[in-house]
Amino acid sequence: MTTSRTASSTLTGSLARRAAVAFAVGVMVESSVRMNVLPFVILLAVAQGLTSLASP
Amino acid sequence: MIGTLVKGSRFERLLNAHLHIAGALIGAGIVGLALSSLGSFLPRLISLWLLTCLCIAYGAMELGYLSLPLPETGHQVPASWRYLLPSPVTALLYGLVLGPGIGTRIASASYGALLSLVLLYGPPLQGMLVLATCGLTRAVGTVITAHMSRRNPAEGMALGYSLIQVWRSLNALLVGLLAGCLLVEAVIMTR
C-alpha cells in the first residue's frame, strides 16, 4: 500500500516536473519567435518567487 | 513568519493566508510601479544597453563568477510583530514587507536582473505586473509550504533548500536567454 502510494506520488512528481519543463520551453520558444521578452520576464518572476522560499 | 500562518482556528488560518497573499501582492505591485515609473525617464536605447549589461552581470553572479551588490538588508522580518499585533495584521504586514523581496534577504542573484528589468524595461504597469507576479508566487508558495509542514516547520524550510539548485539553474538559464534577446533588440535599435 505504502509502496504503491510512493510510486504514485513519484509518478505525479515526475509528470509535474515534465509539464513544468514543457511549459517553460514553450514560453521560451514563443518569446524568441515573437521577439517579446515579457513572457520570459514573467517566467523569471515566478522562478524568483519560488527561489525566495529557500531564503531563511 | 510561518508560525503566524499556521496558528489559530481554521477560519483564522484561512484569513491570515489570504491577508498575507493580498499584502504581498499589494506591496510588490506598489514597489514595481514605483521602480518602473523611475526608470521610464531614461531613453529607450540607453535602457536597453544598460539592461543587457546588468542581465549578463547578474547571470554571471548567479553562476558564481562575480559578486555585485543586491538591494537587501540581510535582516529577517521583525519577530516582535507576532507578539505585539493581532495575527491577521501581522500576516498582512509580513506580506507587505516580504512581497517586494527587497526588505530582507535575497536568495538568488538573478533577482538583481529581475529588478533591473522592472526598472528599465517597459511601461510602469508592466513593471507592476512583473513584481506583483513574483510577490504572489512567493506568498502562495509560503502559505502552501507553511500548511504542508504545519507539525514540523523545519520540514518546509528543508524542502525550500533542497530545491534551491533547481531554481538557481533555471534562473541562470532565463537571465542568459533574456540577455541574448535584449542584446539582439539593442543591436537592431542601434543600427
Side-chain angles (χ1 to χ4, degrees):
Chain A
M1 183 72 174
T2 315
T3 315
S4 92
R5 202 178 295 152
T6 311
S8 156
S9 138
T10 310
L11 182 68
T12 316
S14 165
L15 283 175
R17 245 193 324 269
R18 282 180 196 181
V21 170
F23 176 73
V25 170
V27 169
M28 288 175 199
V29 171
E30 173 77 6
S31 296
S32 309
V33 169
R34 286 176 183 261
M35 285 285 288
N36 177 11
V37 298
L38 184 61
F40 263 139
V41 181
I42 296 285
L43 202 60
L44 179 64
V46 172
Q48 283 300 317
L50 293 169
T51 310
S52 66
L53 293 178
S55 175
Chain B
M1 203 282 290
I2 282 178
T4 315
L5 298 172
V6 294
K7 76 173 185 187
S9 64
R10 192 166 185 272
F11 172 76
E12 203 175 339
R13 291 200 304 269
L14 209 61
L15 178 70
N16 290 348
H18 280 87
L19 284 170
H20 181 70
I21 292 169
L25 199 60
I26 293 166
I30 290 171
V31 172
L33 189 67
L35 278 176
S36 290
S37 305
L38 271 176
S40 60
F41 292 108
L42 266 181
R44 178 88 180 141
L45 192 60
I46 295 173
S47 298
L48 268 178
W49 279 110
L50 192 59
L51 199 46
T52 307
C53 295
L54 285 169
C55 279
I56 292 169
Y58 279 110
M61 185 178 169
E62 186 72 273
L63 295 171
Y65 290 119
L66 58 110
S67 182
L68 290 166
L70 283 167
E72 61 179 352
T73 60
H75 299 299
Q76 292 191 317
V77 282
S80 58
W81 291 356
R82 288 174 63 184
Y83 311 108
L84 297 172
L85 302 165
S87 64
V89 179
T90 314
L92 179 73
L93 287 176
Y94 281 165
L96 278 168
V97 173
L98 291 173
I102 51 178
T104 57
R105 183 181 171 273
I106 293 176
S108 156
S110 305
Y111 201 70
L114 185 75
L115 287 175
S116 310
L117 281 155
V118 169
L119 182 71
L120 299 168
Y121 194 84
L125 278 179
Q126 187 177 302
M128 185 177 86
L129 172 76
V130 170
L131 218 57
T133 305
C134 184
L136 180 70
T137 313
R138 182 181 184 142
V140 171
T142 306
V143 168
I144 291 172
T145 310
H147 284 269
M148 273 171 62
S149 54
R150 195 141 55 103
R151 288 190 181 84
N152 182 11
E155 203 178 291
M157 288 188 77
L159 177 71
Y161 285 123
S162 69
L163 292 171
I164 185 80
Q165 280 311 323
V166 176
W167 302 130
R168 280 208 173 133
S169 309
L170 179 66
N171 288 329
L173 176 71
L174 281 169
V175 171
L177 287 168
L178 267 166
C181 287
L182 291 166
L183 183 65
V184 170
E185 202 176 330
V187 168
I188 290 171
M189 205 175 235
T190 309
R191 286 178 71 190

